[in-house]
Amino acid sequence: MYPHQDSLFIGGAWVTPHAQEKITVIGSSTEAVLGSVPHGDEKDMDAAVAAARAAFDDPDGWPAWSPARRAEALYRLADALDRRKEDITRTVTAQNGMTITVCEQVEGMLPGTLLRYYAGLVRDESFEEVRQGMLGSPVHVRREPLGVVAAIVPWNAPQLLSATKYAPGLAAGCTFVLKPSPEAALDSILFAEAVAEAGLPAGVINIVPGGRETGAYLVSHPGVDKVAFTGSTAAGRRVAEACASRLRPVTLELGGKSAAIVLDDADLDTAIAEPFFFATMLANGQACFASTRVLAPQSRYDEVVDAVATLAKGLTVGDPMDPATQVGPLASARQRDRVEGYIEKGKAEGSRLVAGGSRPAEFSHGYYVAPTVFADVDNSQVIAREEIFGPVLSIIGYTDETDAVRIANDSEFGLGGSVWTADEERGMRVARQLRTGTVGLNHYTVDPAAPFGGVKSSGLGREFGPEALLNYQQLKSIYR
Ligand code: NAD
């Protein structure tokens, strides 16, 4: 199924890896082997960085192309990805358990959308502005491409989270070394095939799958100019430390523990329905922005607990390839163990289990965990403080709006959040008080036209929107 799975895509060609080791990718619902890719080593990474460096340093190369010419190449890449949409979607779903209908949008459609969006933004740009200086002469302020980018992505949305980096980065004129994670490396072969078909110059995108050590080696590589990282907060800290000592620019999209604030005026029949499910348990809870702390007003506490428990119990758990499935398996045995560990902690800490709490009995294969809801959770408990990354919600009571905002903000993280109310103005008032990078009002759907990212331990910098171009540019002033 993956003809290039024994090679690495480096310098515009499929090359024999130096590494002997392989990454075997396991199906999340079947536990069967899906395929394998080379586990890149330091020599492979050196070759990839050298190729990206050569492509960037070529005086007539990618950064020297006009934005309009680069935009044409991005449109071609978007078309090449569209032609592989079904294979990409099925591969990602098989790997990480994201349900196929969600995967079609997130992994199949959005990367092409982002490429076309950034191509459209830069097509007519010169990235050079002439200002009247204070000394009587004009000053040219240029936005120049930053250089070679190390892009490191997790397994939960590998195509989208790569595209959030390469789409603005390529548009800005950077070149890339992409390191996919071991759990979701097969789809990167399909992406490389699209890059080859689109005819991007050799070395503009290079791909080396590998684990933590391979990633750490790339982050510290002398040939890299910028790091764009998505992953856990723990790994993000190590990446930030490595970049700090080299004064290397870095953007970090990290973990979350967002709050869904249900206000006391909410119509629970419409509020605690499908959009609430997407906001809290999208991708089987393996979404960084998921609102996994549900804040319920004391005046309507039992009603909210009933509504959320009923929603969770009514979800269709099953084969992620089946369009009727709402909740698929977790990505790996390791991830399921981790989530089950948190469920045990929740029980041990005395929270009241009102839905799920175990593996669904009907599946003999696959890393399934039933959608789980704990009520009577205190915000100081482990399940309310740490990111679980699975379909596990904690319901926490609050007294009034001020108390709800206080609890929502009492978190190490600040990535997403949502407010559920019949009064939009009131919802806006609450949303403005949340210390978080994004908030949804009666839904939570990331809009690529606006900046996305986190505050506090959820990250540094923003992806999406025109703002993301600045992640891949540096300013230069020429005084005349
Ligand atoms: P992870 O941190 O274990 O790994 C992420 C990637 O970083 C992988 O490719 C991994 O090989 C690599 N890596 C790990 N340690 C590294 C190091 N020291 N140096 C360089 N690279 C290193 O995370 P994961 O388990 O793959 O993904 C889940 C995490 O990602 C969750 O915490 C989730 O919230 C976060 N995430 C955040 C966003 C966001 O936009 N904020 C989006 C999706 C996922």
Side-chain angles (χ1 to χ4, degrees):
M1 186 180 173
Y2 304 102
H4 293 295
Q5 67 172 29
D6 295 325
S7 309
L8 291 175
F9 188 71
I10 294 176
W14 294 100
V15 301
T16 305
H18 175 269
Q20 301 294 314
E21 208 187 319
K22 297 250 176 219
I23 295 168
T24 302
V25 184
I26 305 293
S28 55
S29 62
T30 58
E31 301 184 36
V33 173
L34 295 173
S36 66
V37 292
H39 187 303
D41 66 10
E42 294 187 358
K43 289 243 162 42
D44 295 316
M45 211 40 112
D46 288 343
V49 174
R53 189 79 264 159
F56 188 79
D57 293 341
D58 176 355
D60 301 318
W62 184 252
W65 284 20
S66 69
R69 190 173 170 204
R70 283 201 299 267
E72 287 312 312
L74 297 197
Y75 288 124
R76 290 199 303 276
L77 179 55
D79 292 343
L81 282 173
D82 279 356
R83 284 191 281 278
R84 288 163 178 77
K85 218 158 41 179
E86 277 180 22
D87 282 351
I88 288 175
T89 302
R90 292 184 73 78
T91 300
V92 173
T93 290
Q95 291 173 141
N96 70 7
M98 181 187 284
T99 54
I100 194 83
T101 45
V102 171
C103 200
E104 278 163 3
Q105 302 294 313
V106 172
E107 296 282 286
M109 194 196 75
L110 266 176
T113 305
L114 285 178
L115 280 164
R116 293 186 179 100
Y117 173 70
Y118 286 104
L121 282 184
V122 303
R123 196 171 37 192
D124 301 320
E125 270 282 348
S126 67
F127 292 125
E128 182 161 323
E129 175 202 329
V130 184
R131 284 185 203 166
Q132 184 53 47
M134 289 189 182
L135 306 178
S137 307
V139 181
H140 291 240
V141 178
R142 289 171 50 77
R143 282 159 58 190
E144 299 188 340
L146 242 172
V148 172
V149 180
I152 298 179
V153 296
W155 43 262
N156 66 326
Q159 290 289 317
L160 171 64
L161 298 172
S162 302
T164 58
K165 296 163 184 56
Y166 69 66
L170 291 177
C174 291
T175 61
F176 277 76
V177 177
L178 172 67
K179 192 206 76 63
S181 78
E183 293 86 349
L186 290 172
D187 55 289
S188 71
I189 301 174
L190 302 171
F191 172 60
E193 287 172 1
V195 172
E197 185 179 294
L200 265 62
V204 166
I205 289 192
N206 310 274
I207 304 173
V208 181
R212 174 180 307 182
E213 295 76 22
T214 317
Y217 183 74
L218 173 62
V219 165
S220 297
H221 202 290
V224 165
D225 298 305
K226 190 235 150 64
V227 175
F229 177 87
T230 300
S232 61
T233 294
R237 278 189 218 287
R238 284 193 288 277
V239 169
E241 282 162 12
C243 289
S245 64
R246 287 161 186 80
L247 296 178
R248 184 165 289 172
V250 60
T251 35
L252 300 165
E253 296 289 349
L254 309 176
K257 193 74 198 178
S258 304
I261 302 179
V262 183
L263 293 179
D264 56 11
D265 62 9
D267 173 355
L268 298 185
D269 288 340
T270 53
I272 313 292
E274 198 176 44
F276 192 85
F277 159 63
F278 285 134
T280 56
M281 291 203 209
L282 186 78
N284 320 327
Q286 301 174 135
C288 51
F289 50 68
S291 293
T292 51
R293 291 182 296 150
V294 178
L295 308 195
Q298 292 296 3
S299 57
R300 300 184 64 193
Y301 187 76
D302 292 341
E303 274 178 84
V304 174
V305 170
D306 278 351
V308 177
T310 304
L311 177 73
K313 286 179 192 161
L315 294 170
T316 307
V317 182
D319 178 358
M321 294 291 180
D322 182 344
T325 296
Q326 291 171 291
V327 178
L330 299 180
S332 62
R334 185 176 68 113
Q335 188 60 19
R336 181 176 60 184
D337 289 349
R338 194 182 130 86
V339 171
E340 287 181 335
Y342 277 111
I343 291 175
E344 289 314 309
K345 275 189 195 130
K347 291 176 184 166
E349 283 183 321
S351 294
R352 180 161 57 100
L353 193 61
V354 294
S358 58
R359 298 179 187 186
E362 60 270 38
F363 305 106
S364 54
H365 297 289
Y367 308 119
Y368 289 93
V369 172
T372 296
V373 181
F374 282 106
D376 307 345
V377 179
D378 187 274
N379 197 45
S380 62
Q381 284 176 225
V382 172
I383 56 167
R385 301 214 76 80
E386 296 183 12
E387 182 182 53
I388 298 176
F389 226 53
V392 181
L393 304 184
S394 298
I395 305 183
I396 301 165
Y398 70 84
T399 51
D400 57 18
E401 211 175 282
T402 308
D403 195 34
V405 170
R406 181 191 63 76
I407 296 170
N409 288 341
D410 178 11
S411 173
E412 181 197 343
F413 300 103
L415 186 57
S418 50
V419 184
W420 306 83
T421 175
D423 179 347
E424 289 236 334
E425 283 313 309
R426 191 178 170 207
M428 285 297 293
R429 188 173 71 216
V430 172
R432 288 191 184 99
Q433 296 176 72
L434 297 181
R435 293 189 57 213
T436 171
T438 59
V439 188
L441 214 52
N442 291 324
H443 75 104
Y444 183 94
T445 319
V446 174
D447 190 324
F452 170 89
V455 301
K456 300 191 271 183
S457 295
S458 289
L460 216 55
R462 297 288 181 272
E463 294 190 322
F464 289 122
E467 290 81 1
L469 284 170
L470 287 167
N471 293 337
Y472 300 97
Q473 294 174 317
Q474 56 193 342
L475 297 170
K476 181 198 274 181
S477 300
I478 303 177
Y479 316 121
R480 289 184 62 176

